[in-house]
Amino acid sequence: MNQPVFEERDADRPSVRMGPWRFVVWFGTVSLLADFVYEGARSITGPLLASLGASALVVGVVTGAGEAAALGLRLVSGPLADRTRRFWGLAIAGYALTVASVPLLGVVGVLWAACALVIAERVGKAVRSPAKDTLLSHATAATGRGRGFAVHEALDQIGALVGPLLVAGVLALTGNDYGPALGVLALPGIAVLLLLLWLRARVPDPEAYEREVTAAAPTAPGGRDGRDGRLPRAFWTYAGFTAATTTGFATFGVLSYHLVQRHLLSAAWVPVLYAAAMAVDAVAALATGWLYDRHGPRVLIALPVLTAGVVALAFTDTVAVAVVGSLVWGAAMGIQESTLRATVADLVPSGRRATAYGLFAGVVGAASLAGGALTGGLYGYSVPVLITVVVVIQVLAAVLLLVTGVRTASGPTE
Protein backbone atom coordinates (compact mmCIF):
# COMPACT_ATOMS: atom_id res chain seq x y z
CA MET A 1 0.00 0.00 0.00
CA ASN A 2 1.63 3.19 -1.17
CA GLN A 3 1.75 6.18 1.11
CA PRO A 4 2.54 9.69 -0.16
CA VAL A 5 5.90 10.71 1.27
CA PHE A 6 7.31 14.23 1.38
CA GLU A 7 10.91 14.82 0.45
CA GLU A 8 13.08 15.43 3.48
CA ARG A 9 13.85 19.07 2.73
CA ASP A 10 12.49 22.35 3.95
CA ALA A 11 9.37 23.36 2.10
CA ASP A 12 8.90 26.77 0.56
CA ARG A 13 5.73 27.56 2.53
CA PRO A 14 6.27 29.34 5.87
CA SER A 15 3.80 26.91 7.51
CA VAL A 16 6.02 23.88 6.76
CA ARG A 17 9.74 24.51 7.09
CA MET A 18 10.93 20.95 7.65
CA GLY A 19 10.13 17.57 6.15
CA PRO A 20 7.43 15.45 7.81
CA TRP A 21 9.82 12.74 8.98
CA ARG A 22 12.02 15.33 10.65
CA PHE A 23 8.92 16.73 12.34
CA VAL A 24 7.92 13.26 13.59
CA VAL A 25 11.41 12.60 14.96
CA TRP A 26 11.68 15.98 16.67
CA PHE A 27 8.19 15.60 18.15
CA GLY A 28 9.21 12.13 19.30
CA THR A 29 12.22 13.72 20.97
CA VAL A 30 9.85 16.05 22.84
CA SER A 31 7.98 12.99 24.11
CA LEU A 32 11.25 11.27 24.98
CA LEU A 33 12.30 14.21 27.17
CA ALA A 34 8.83 14.56 28.70
CA ASP A 35 8.73 10.84 29.55
CA PHE A 36 12.19 11.24 31.05
CA VAL A 37 10.62 13.77 33.42
CA TYR A 38 7.26 12.31 34.40
CA GLU A 39 8.10 8.60 34.25
CA GLY A 40 11.11 9.37 36.43
CA ALA A 41 8.79 10.97 38.96
CA ARG A 42 6.10 8.30 38.72
CA SER A 43 8.65 5.59 39.49
CA ILE A 44 8.97 6.97 43.04
CA THR A 45 5.56 8.60 43.64
CA GLY A 46 4.49 5.98 46.17
CA PRO A 47 7.63 6.09 48.34
CA LEU A 48 7.73 9.89 48.11
CA LEU A 49 4.17 10.30 49.37
CA ALA A 50 4.81 7.70 52.06
CA SER A 51 7.83 9.68 53.27
CA LEU A 52 5.48 12.64 53.79
CA GLY A 53 3.10 10.57 55.89
CA ALA A 54 0.70 9.13 53.31
CA SER A 55 -1.00 5.81 53.97
CA ALA A 56 -1.45 3.16 51.30
CA LEU A 57 -5.04 4.36 50.92
CA VAL A 58 -3.93 7.94 50.28
CA VAL A 59 -1.35 6.82 47.73
CA GLY A 60 -3.96 4.71 45.95
CA VAL A 61 -6.56 7.48 45.91
CA VAL A 62 -4.14 10.17 44.74
CA THR A 63 -2.55 8.13 41.97
CA GLY A 64 -5.95 6.80 40.91
CA ALA A 65 -7.34 10.33 40.79
CA GLY A 66 -4.36 11.39 38.71
CA GLU A 67 -4.94 8.64 36.14
CA ALA A 68 -8.65 9.42 36.04
CA ALA A 69 -7.82 13.07 35.37
CA ALA A 70 -5.28 12.15 32.68
CA LEU A 71 -7.92 10.26 30.72
CA GLY A 72 -11.25 11.79 31.70
CA LEU A 73 -10.31 15.43 31.16
CA ARG A 74 -9.44 14.67 27.55
CA LEU A 75 -13.19 14.59 26.95
CA VAL A 76 -12.96 18.35 27.54
CA SER A 77 -9.54 19.18 26.09
CA GLY A 78 -10.20 17.33 22.84
CA PRO A 79 -13.32 19.31 21.79
CA LEU A 80 -11.65 22.48 23.09
CA ALA A 81 -8.71 21.92 20.76
CA ASP A 82 -11.01 21.37 17.78
CA ARG A 83 -13.13 24.41 18.61
CA THR A 84 -10.25 26.84 19.17
CA ARG A 85 -7.73 25.25 16.74
CA ARG A 86 -5.02 26.21 19.25
CA PHE A 87 -3.23 22.89 19.06
CA TRP A 88 0.25 24.25 19.69
CA GLY A 89 -0.94 26.39 22.59
CA LEU A 90 -2.69 23.49 24.36
CA ALA A 91 0.24 21.15 23.74
CA ILE A 92 2.75 23.62 25.17
CA ALA A 93 0.51 24.48 28.14
CA GLY A 94 0.05 20.81 29.00
CA TYR A 95 3.75 20.02 28.79
CA ALA A 96 4.57 23.14 30.84
CA LEU A 97 2.24 22.03 33.64
CA THR A 98 3.85 18.60 33.73
CA VAL A 99 7.49 19.70 33.67
CA ALA A 100 6.84 22.40 36.31
CA SER A 101 5.01 20.04 38.67
CA VAL A 102 7.67 17.34 38.84
CA PRO A 103 10.70 19.26 40.25
CA LEU A 104 8.41 20.97 42.78
CA LEU A 105 7.46 17.54 44.15
CA GLY A 106 10.93 17.22 45.61
CA VAL A 107 10.82 20.50 47.56
CA VAL A 108 7.24 21.09 48.80
CA GLY A 109 7.73 19.02 51.96
CA VAL A 110 4.03 18.71 52.89
CA LEU A 111 1.67 15.91 51.91
CA TRP A 112 -1.29 17.93 50.62
CA ALA A 113 0.92 19.96 48.26
CA ALA A 114 2.67 16.86 46.97
CA CYS A 115 -0.70 15.20 46.31
CA ALA A 116 -1.86 18.27 44.40
CA LEU A 117 1.29 18.23 42.27
CA VAL A 118 0.92 14.52 41.46
CA ILE A 119 -2.58 15.21 40.15
CA ALA A 120 -1.45 18.40 38.38
CA GLU A 121 1.17 16.46 36.44
CA ARG A 122 -1.55 14.13 35.14
CA VAL A 123 -3.83 17.05 34.31
CA GLY A 124 -1.01 18.37 32.14
CA LYS A 125 -1.10 15.13 30.17
CA ALA A 126 -4.86 15.48 29.70
CA VAL A 127 -4.50 19.05 28.43
CA ARG A 128 -1.83 18.26 25.84
CA SER A 129 -2.62 14.76 24.55
CA PRO A 130 -5.49 15.33 22.07
CA ALA A 131 -3.73 18.40 20.64
CA LYS A 132 -0.37 16.59 20.50
CA ASP A 133 -1.84 13.54 18.74
CA THR A 134 -3.62 15.78 16.24
CA LEU A 135 -0.42 17.67 15.41
CA LEU A 136 1.41 14.37 14.97
CA SER A 137 -1.39 12.95 12.82
CA HIS A 138 -0.92 15.69 10.22
CA ALA A 139 2.74 14.79 9.63
CA THR A 140 2.01 11.05 9.60
CA ALA A 141 -0.42 11.61 6.74
CA ALA A 142 2.76 12.07 4.69
CA THR A 143 5.06 9.51 6.34
CA GLY A 144 2.47 6.75 6.75
CA ARG A 145 0.26 6.69 9.83
CA GLY A 146 1.57 3.43 11.25
CA ARG A 147 5.25 4.16 10.81
CA GLY A 148 4.98 7.74 12.01
CA PHE A 149 3.16 6.90 15.23
CA ALA A 150 5.44 3.88 15.75
CA VAL A 151 8.64 5.94 15.54
CA HIS A 152 7.12 8.45 17.95
CA GLU A 153 6.26 5.64 20.39
CA ALA A 154 9.75 4.10 20.14
CA LEU A 155 11.37 7.43 21.02
CA ASP A 156 8.84 7.89 23.82
CA GLN A 157 9.88 4.59 25.39
CA ILE A 158 13.54 5.61 25.52
CA GLY A 159 12.59 8.37 27.93
CA ALA A 160 10.40 5.98 29.92
CA LEU A 161 13.46 3.76 30.43
CA VAL A 162 16.13 6.36 31.12
CA GLY A 163 14.15 8.64 33.47
CA PRO A 164 13.52 6.08 36.23
CA LEU A 165 17.09 4.80 35.97
CA LEU A 166 18.48 8.32 36.46
CA VAL A 167 16.20 8.92 39.45
CA ALA A 168 17.27 5.59 40.97
CA GLY A 169 20.92 6.52 40.50
CA VAL A 170 20.54 9.93 42.14
CA LEU A 171 18.64 8.39 45.05
CA ALA A 172 21.46 5.89 45.53
CA LEU A 173 24.09 8.66 45.50
CA THR A 174 22.19 10.97 47.88
CA GLY A 175 20.95 8.44 50.40
CA ASN A 176 17.31 8.53 49.17
CA ASP A 177 17.02 12.32 49.09
CA TYR A 178 14.02 13.03 46.88
CA GLY A 179 14.87 16.70 46.33
CA PRO A 180 17.94 16.22 44.11
CA ALA A 181 16.42 13.12 42.45
CA LEU A 182 13.42 15.11 41.24
CA GLY A 183 15.28 18.40 40.85
CA VAL A 184 17.58 16.95 38.19
CA LEU A 185 14.48 16.35 36.08
CA ALA A 186 14.08 20.12 35.66
CA LEU A 187 16.82 20.08 33.00
CA PRO A 188 15.05 17.80 30.49
CA GLY A 189 11.85 19.67 31.39
CA ILE A 190 13.35 22.96 30.24
CA ALA A 191 14.56 21.22 27.09
CA VAL A 192 10.98 20.07 26.38
CA LEU A 193 9.65 23.62 26.37
CA LEU A 194 12.53 25.06 24.33
CA LEU A 195 12.19 22.33 21.72
CA LEU A 196 8.43 22.82 21.50
CA LEU A 197 8.80 26.56 20.96
CA TRP A 198 11.41 25.92 18.27
CA LEU A 199 9.15 23.38 16.54
CA ARG A 200 6.20 25.75 16.58
CA ALA A 201 8.35 28.46 14.99
CA ARG A 202 9.52 26.07 12.29
CA VAL A 203 6.13 24.45 11.62
CA PRO A 204 3.34 26.76 12.82
CA ASP A 205 0.76 24.86 10.73
CA PRO A 206 1.48 21.10 10.61
CA GLU A 207 -1.89 20.56 8.92
CA ALA A 208 -0.16 21.73 5.71
CA TYR A 209 1.45 18.28 5.51
CA GLU A 210 -1.96 16.65 5.33
CA ARG A 211 -3.42 19.25 2.99
CA GLU A 212 -0.73 18.45 0.44
CA VAL A 213 -1.42 14.72 0.70
CA THR A 214 -5.17 15.34 0.38
CA ALA A 215 -4.62 17.53 -2.68
CA ALA A 216 -2.59 14.75 -4.29
CA ALA A 217 -5.29 12.16 -3.49
CA PRO A 218 -8.63 14.02 -3.42
CA THR A 219 -10.70 10.88 -2.85
CA ALA A 220 -8.96 9.96 0.42
CA PRO A 221 -11.02 10.15 3.59
CA GLY A 222 -10.32 13.30 5.54
CA GLY A 223 -10.48 15.58 2.49
CA ARG A 224 -13.60 17.12 3.97
CA ASP A 225 -13.23 19.34 6.99
CA GLY A 226 -15.67 17.55 9.28
CA ARG A 227 -15.40 20.33 11.80
CA ASP A 228 -19.16 20.61 12.32
CA GLY A 229 -20.17 17.03 11.50
CA ARG A 230 -20.62 13.99 13.64
CA LEU A 231 -17.85 11.48 14.15
CA PRO A 232 -17.93 8.70 11.54
CA ARG A 233 -19.72 5.45 12.34
CA ALA A 234 -16.46 3.60 11.69
CA PHE A 235 -14.90 5.47 14.62
CA TRP A 236 -17.55 4.19 17.03
CA THR A 237 -17.20 0.65 15.70
CA TYR A 238 -13.48 0.89 16.20
CA ALA A 239 -13.94 2.29 19.71
CA GLY A 240 -16.12 -0.74 20.48
CA PHE A 241 -13.38 -3.10 19.35
CA THR A 242 -10.82 -1.20 21.42
CA ALA A 243 -13.04 -1.30 24.51
CA ALA A 244 -13.49 -5.05 24.17
CA THR A 245 -9.83 -5.91 23.70
CA THR A 246 -8.73 -3.50 26.47
CA THR A 247 -11.25 -4.89 28.95
CA GLY A 248 -9.36 -8.19 29.01
CA PHE A 249 -5.93 -6.60 29.22
CA ALA A 250 -4.12 -7.30 32.50
CA THR A 251 -2.15 -4.46 34.05
CA PHE A 252 1.54 -4.83 34.82
CA GLY A 253 0.62 -4.26 38.45
CA VAL A 254 -1.34 -7.52 38.47
CA LEU A 255 1.43 -9.33 36.58
CA SER A 256 4.14 -8.15 38.98
CA TYR A 257 1.94 -9.02 41.97
CA HIS A 258 1.73 -12.60 40.67
CA LEU A 259 5.47 -12.81 40.04
CA VAL A 260 6.40 -11.65 43.53
CA GLN A 261 3.63 -13.37 45.49
CA ARG A 262 4.34 -16.73 43.84
CA HIS A 263 8.07 -16.19 44.49
CA LEU A 264 8.91 -16.37 40.79
CA LEU A 265 10.91 -13.12 40.90
CA SER A 266 12.19 -10.94 43.70
CA ALA A 267 10.85 -7.40 43.94
CA ALA A 268 14.26 -6.08 42.85
CA TRP A 269 13.99 -7.89 39.50
CA VAL A 270 10.51 -6.56 38.65
CA PRO A 271 11.78 -3.15 37.37
CA VAL A 272 14.30 -4.99 35.18
CA LEU A 273 11.51 -7.07 33.66
CA TYR A 274 9.44 -3.92 33.17
CA ALA A 275 12.35 -2.29 31.32
CA ALA A 276 12.62 -5.35 29.07
CA ALA A 277 8.88 -5.16 28.39
CA MET A 278 9.27 -1.51 27.38
CA ALA A 279 11.99 -2.49 24.92
CA VAL A 280 9.63 -5.06 23.41
CA ASP A 281 6.97 -2.32 23.35
CA ALA A 282 9.15 -0.19 21.07
CA VAL A 283 9.99 -3.06 18.72
CA ALA A 284 6.34 -4.14 18.46
CA ALA A 285 5.26 -0.57 17.72
CA LEU A 286 7.75 -0.28 14.85
CA ALA A 287 6.83 -3.68 13.40
CA THR A 288 3.06 -3.25 13.53
CA GLY A 289 3.32 0.35 12.33
CA TRP A 290 5.12 -0.81 9.19
CA LEU A 291 2.59 -3.62 8.65
CA TYR A 292 -0.33 -1.24 9.20
CA ASP A 293 0.84 1.03 6.40
CA ARG A 294 1.03 -1.98 4.05
CA HIS A 295 -2.07 -3.93 5.07
CA GLY A 296 -4.35 -1.54 6.96
CA PRO A 297 -6.32 -2.19 10.18
CA ARG A 298 -6.39 -5.96 9.69
CA VAL A 299 -3.01 -6.06 11.49
CA LEU A 300 -4.84 -5.09 14.68
CA ILE A 301 -6.02 -8.69 14.93
CA ALA A 302 -2.67 -9.23 16.64
CA LEU A 303 -3.87 -7.25 19.68
CA PRO A 304 -6.58 -9.64 20.96
CA VAL A 305 -4.25 -12.56 20.20
CA LEU A 306 -1.46 -11.03 22.30
CA THR A 307 -3.86 -9.97 25.06
CA ALA A 308 -5.13 -13.53 25.39
CA GLY A 309 -1.53 -14.76 25.34
CA VAL A 310 -0.60 -12.51 28.26
CA VAL A 311 -2.94 -14.19 30.76
CA ALA A 312 -2.29 -17.68 29.37
CA LEU A 313 1.47 -17.29 29.86
CA ALA A 314 2.08 -14.71 32.59
CA PHE A 315 -0.08 -16.30 35.28
CA THR A 316 1.67 -19.68 35.24
CA ASP A 317 4.00 -20.85 38.03
CA THR A 318 6.96 -21.40 35.72
CA VAL A 319 9.45 -18.52 35.78
CA ALA A 320 10.47 -18.64 32.13
CA VAL A 321 6.88 -18.87 30.87
CA ALA A 322 5.69 -16.08 33.16
CA VAL A 323 8.55 -13.85 32.00
CA VAL A 324 7.63 -14.52 28.36
CA GLY A 325 4.04 -13.58 29.22
CA SER A 326 5.25 -10.27 30.61
CA LEU A 327 7.20 -9.58 27.43
CA VAL A 328 4.07 -10.37 25.40
CA TRP A 329 2.35 -7.75 27.58
CA GLY A 330 4.99 -5.28 26.38
CA ALA A 331 4.28 -6.16 22.74
CA ALA A 332 0.55 -5.57 23.26
CA MET A 333 1.32 -2.23 24.89
CA GLY A 334 3.37 -1.23 21.87
CA ILE A 335 0.37 -1.77 19.59
CA GLN A 336 -1.97 0.04 21.97
CA GLU A 337 0.25 3.10 22.21
CA SER A 338 1.03 3.46 18.51
CA THR A 339 -1.10 1.67 15.93
CA LEU A 340 -4.38 2.13 17.82
CA ARG A 341 -3.76 5.90 17.82
CA ALA A 342 -2.71 5.89 14.18
CA THR A 343 -5.99 4.27 13.18
CA VAL A 344 -8.01 7.04 14.85
CA ALA A 345 -6.25 9.58 12.64
CA ASP A 346 -7.22 7.61 9.53
CA LEU A 347 -10.85 7.22 10.59
CA VAL A 348 -11.65 10.83 11.53
CA PRO A 349 -11.39 13.99 9.39
CA SER A 350 -8.95 16.64 10.54
CA GLY A 351 -11.59 19.04 11.83
CA ARG A 352 -12.88 16.58 14.43
CA ARG A 353 -9.72 14.64 15.21
CA ALA A 354 -8.84 16.13 18.59
CA THR A 355 -12.42 15.48 19.76
CA ALA A 356 -12.06 11.89 18.58
CA TYR A 357 -8.78 11.47 20.45
CA GLY A 358 -10.40 12.81 23.62
CA LEU A 359 -13.35 10.42 23.33
CA PHE A 360 -11.06 7.54 22.43
CA ALA A 361 -9.00 8.17 25.56
CA GLY A 362 -12.20 8.08 27.61
CA VAL A 363 -13.13 4.71 26.12
CA VAL A 364 -9.64 3.32 26.75
CA GLY A 365 -9.65 4.68 30.31
CA ALA A 366 -13.02 3.13 31.18
CA ALA A 367 -12.04 -0.19 29.61
CA SER A 368 -8.67 -0.17 31.38
CA LEU A 369 -10.40 0.35 34.71
CA ALA A 370 -12.78 -2.50 33.94
CA GLY A 371 -9.91 -4.69 32.76
CA GLY A 372 -7.84 -4.03 35.87
CA ALA A 373 -10.79 -4.83 38.14
CA LEU A 374 -11.71 -7.92 36.12
CA THR A 375 -8.25 -9.45 35.96
CA GLY A 376 -7.40 -8.52 39.55
CA GLY A 377 -10.69 -9.88 40.89
CA LEU A 378 -10.63 -13.12 38.91
CA TYR A 379 -6.96 -13.67 39.77
CA GLY A 380 -7.91 -13.85 43.44
CA TYR A 381 -10.77 -16.21 42.63
CA SER A 382 -9.32 -18.63 40.08
CA VAL A 383 -6.54 -18.29 37.54
CA PRO A 384 -8.11 -20.86 35.13
CA VAL A 385 -11.37 -18.89 35.22
CA LEU A 386 -9.42 -15.68 34.60
CA ILE A 387 -7.72 -17.16 31.54
CA THR A 388 -11.00 -18.52 30.18
CA VAL A 389 -12.89 -15.25 30.58
CA VAL A 390 -10.13 -13.16 28.99
CA VAL A 391 -9.76 -15.55 26.05
CA VAL A 392 -13.52 -15.40 25.42
CA ILE A 393 -13.47 -11.58 25.52
CA GLN A 394 -10.58 -11.47 23.05
CA VAL A 395 -12.31 -13.87 20.66
CA LEU A 396 -15.34 -11.55 20.70
CA ALA A 397 -13.08 -8.53 20.10
CA ALA A 398 -11.44 -10.25 17.12
CA VAL A 399 -14.83 -11.16 15.66
CA LEU A 400 -15.99 -7.55 16.06
CA LEU A 401 -12.94 -6.28 14.17
CA LEU A 402 -13.29 -8.78 11.33
CA VAL A 403 -17.08 -8.68 10.96
CA THR A 404 -17.42 -4.89 10.98
CA GLY A 405 -14.51 -4.45 8.57
CA VAL A 406 -13.21 -1.10 9.84
CA ARG A 407 -12.06 0.95 6.86
CA THR A 408 -9.51 3.76 6.91
CA ALA A 409 -7.49 5.88 4.58
CA SER A 410 -4.78 3.25 4.77
CA GLY A 411 -7.04 0.58 3.35
CA PRO A 412 -9.85 -1.79 4.25
CA THR A 413 -9.70 -4.76 6.53
CA GLU A 414 -10.96 -6.98 3.78
Side-chain angles (χ1 to χ4, degrees):
M1 194 164 304
N2 295 326
Q3 290 283 346
V5 179
F6 282 42
E7 295 182 8
E8 289 303 304
R9 58 179 175 78
D10 289 352
D12 295 330
R13 298 182 306 278
S15 57
V16 180
R17 289 156 57 191
M18 67 170 60
W21 266 121
R22 289 177 61 198
F23 181 83
V24 168
V25 170
W26 279 116
F27 217 166
T29 305
V30 169
S31 289
L32 183 158
L33 293 168
D35 267 43
F36 195 120
V37 176
Y38 70 78
E39 293 290 6
R42 292 177 74 196
S43 69
I44 58 169
T45 295
L48 170 64
L49 295 179
S51 72
L52 298 174
S55 64
L57 175 62
V58 169
V59 173
V61 169
V62 170
T63 55
E67 293 308 310
L71 291 168
L73 289 179
R74 296 185 210 187
L75 296 172
V76 177
S77 63
L80 178 64
D82 275 337
R83 186 167 60 251
T84 64
R85 315 304 292 171
R86 296 183 181 277
F87 300 110
W88 276 120
L90 287 167
I92 292 171
Y95 276 115
L97 182 56
T98 288
V99 301
S101 299
V102 167
L104 291 175
L105 268 173
V107 298
V108 290
V110 292
L111 179 60
W112 70 266
C115 291
L117 288 169
V118 168
I119 295 173
E121 184 274 309
R122 296 282 83 192
V123 170
K125 187 172 181 65
V127 170
R128 71 177 178 264
S129 289
K132 177 203 72 174
D133 285 342
T134 301
L135 292 169
L136 182 62
S137 75
H138 295 318
T140 61
T143 64
R145 300 282 193 208
R147 284 170 290 179
F149 274 90
V151 168
H152 181 272
E153 169 66 7
L155 290 168
D156 187 271
Q157 289 308 304
I158 294 174
L161 285 171
V162 176
L165 293 177
L166 175 66
V167 169
V170 176
L171 285 174
L173 290 173
T174 61
N176 294 324
D177 188 342
Y178 292 105
L182 292 170
V184 72
L185 298 177
L187 296 177
I190 293 170
V192 166
L193 298 180
L194 292 176
L195 185 53
L196 276 170
L197 293 172
W198 175 77
L199 267 179
R200 184 178 65 173
R202 293 281 294 177
V203 190
D205 180 23
E207 194 172 0
Y209 294 125
E210 190 161 353
R211 284 197 297 269
E212 184 162 329
V213 172
T214 301
T219 59
R224 60 188 175 85
D225 186 294
R227 202 170 294 179
D228 299 319
R230 292 180 296 179
L231 291 172
R233 179 181 300 177
F235 167 78
W236 295 109
T237 300
Y238 178 65
F241 157 74
T242 303
T245 193
T246 305
T247 297
F249 191 63
T251 66
F252 190 78
V254 178
L255 301 186
S256 60
Y257 179 88
H258 169 77
L259 291 168
V260 173
Q261 291 297 310
R262 297 295 180 92
H263 305 292
L264 302 177
L265 287 181
S266 67
W269 277 101
V270 169
V272 176
L273 179 59
Y274 182 79
M278 291 300 96
V280 173
D281 174 317
V283 173
L286 292 169
T288 55
W290 181 82
L291 289 171
Y292 174 83
D293 287 337
R294 292 180 63 85
H295 303 292
R298 70 184 68 180
V299 303
L300 292 173
I301 196 68
L303 188 54
V305 173
L306 291 173
T307 300
V310 169
V311 293
L313 297 170
F315 292 120
T316 64
D317 288 330
T318 303
V319 175
V321 177
V323 166
V324 169
S326 298
L327 298 179
V328 171
W329 176 88
M333 280 295 296
I335 299 175
Q336 284 190 350
E337 294 295 327
S338 60
T339 313
L340 281 185
R341 290 161 53 212
T343 307
V344 172
D346 271 335
L347 288 171
V348 181
S350 175
R352 295 281 287 165
R353 199 168 291 156
T355 298
Y357 274 120
L359 289 168
F360 190 71
V363 169
V364 171
S368 297
L369 177 60
L374 176 71
T375 55
L378 289 180
Y379 175 83
Y381 175 72
S382 168
V383 170
V385 171
L386 165 62
I387 295 172
T388 301
V389 169
V390 170
V391 169
V392 169
I393 292 173
Q394 297 315 304
V395 169
L396 293 175
V399 169
L400 180 62
L401 178 67
L402 295 174
V403 170
T404 57
V406 174
R407 295 174 181 271
T408 72
S410 293
T413 56
E414 311 250 53

